[in-house]
Amino acid sequence: MSIEIKGNGNAPVPGERRKPVPIVMARGPQEYTPGDQELPVQLTSLVDMLQWAQNWARSKSVWPLGYGLACCAIEMMASAQAHYDLSRFGSEVFRSSPRQADLMIVAGTVSVKMGPRLRLLWEQMPDPKWVLSMGQCANSGGEFYDSYYTVQGVDTIVPVDVYVPGCPPRPEALIEGILKLREKIAKQGLKVRGEEEIGV
């Protein structure tokens, strides 16, 4: 008798649909805070408070893996320069080894030949780990969507937590995506008021 195990514990399976996160839309610029659109969580026990403290610490120091594949990588590099200063948010340390990173930013076109290597790098990253898909080519194939060599979205290979649209997206959009990911990490495993727990 053999048992097939999908994922490990809370690790999502690629291609699996996740529960949508409830979002509160701002009515104007005065109500908009970058990376803060989800409903607040409720802390009802000591375990929830400890989970929140652990999530808070993780969300403030997200180390990305330098994984640029095409023109979006130039925008990713620009976001770390002094003009945009990604180091304000604790994410300036672009690691060269997947064993030292916890965020994979897929910036650019993923070809069929690059797919297995991308999956291997993702598997070498320690848990907990997250994936940010940057640009239309990584999100859905972009302008190469009907090509024989382009993957139709990186979410067919690895589970994606945040999508940043654009061709290429500006550095501000990448910073907004990282702020959104930080919010999701801070609320992971906790219950939103009136909702069930959020899984990232």
Side-chain angles (χ1 to χ4, degrees):
M1 179 176 167
S2 64
I3 299 173
E4 182 181 348
I5 298 174
K6 291 188 175 182
N8 53 353
N10 292 335
V13 178
E16 174 185 325
R17 262 206 139 170
R18 299 181 187 183
K19 179 180 174 275
V21 176
I23 294 178
V24 178
M25 298 299 292
R27 289 182 292 237
Q30 70 282 358
E31 292 183 7
Y32 180 73
T33 305
D36 189 20
Q37 293 88 39
E38 295 179 10
L39 295 172
V41 297
Q42 60 183 6
L43 304 176
T44 57
S45 67
L46 180 62
V47 175
D48 286 348
M49 291 174 70
L50 291 173
Q51 177 73 43
W52 177 85
Q54 184 182 30
N55 291 348
W56 179 86
R58 281 181 180 158
S59 70
K60 299 301 180 192
S61 179
V62 179
W63 286 7
L65 174 68
Y67 195 70
L69 295 171
C71 42
C72 285
I74 305 300
E75 302 294 323
M76 181 176 67
M77 287 183 265
S79 69
Q81 292 175 353
H83 185 72
Y84 298 101
D85 196 17
L86 190 59
S87 62
R88 292 176 292 160
F89 309 109
S91 297
E92 78 278 6
V93 185
F94 279 86
R95 307 312 295 179
S96 298
S97 168
R99 292 170 182 84
Q100 298 173 350
D102 49 13
L103 169 64
M104 176 183 276
I105 300 176
V106 182
T109 311
V110 182
S111 64
V112 173
K113 198 170 186 178
M114 183 58 76
R117 287 145 183 90
L118 186 143
R119 177 69 186 197
L120 179 65
L121 287 173
W122 180 80
E123 288 173 351
Q124 289 175 350
M125 291 169 61
D127 285 326
K129 55 191 169 188
W130 301 279
V131 177
L132 187 144
S133 177
M134 180 181 177
Q136 291 308 106
C137 289
N139 292 346
S140 62
E143 60 188 55
F144 310 110
Y145 71 95
D146 59 350
S147 174
Y148 68 92
Y149 68 91
T150 304
V151 174
Q152 304 299 307
V154 74
D155 55 358
T156 59
I157 301 172
V158 293
V160 176
D161 298 297
V162 175
Y163 295 90
V164 177
C167 183
R170 294 205 28 96
E172 298 97 325
L174 175 60
I175 292 173
E176 172 80 20
I178 290 176
L179 291 175
K180 185 65 185 170
L181 179 67
R182 284 176 47 168
E183 182 188 7
K184 289 180 76 173
I185 294 169
K187 296 179 179 180
Q188 180 178 2
L190 299 171
K191 292 187 180 177
V192 174
R193 291 187 185 152
E195 297 286 330
E196 297 178 12
E197 73 176 31
I198 297 175
V200 177

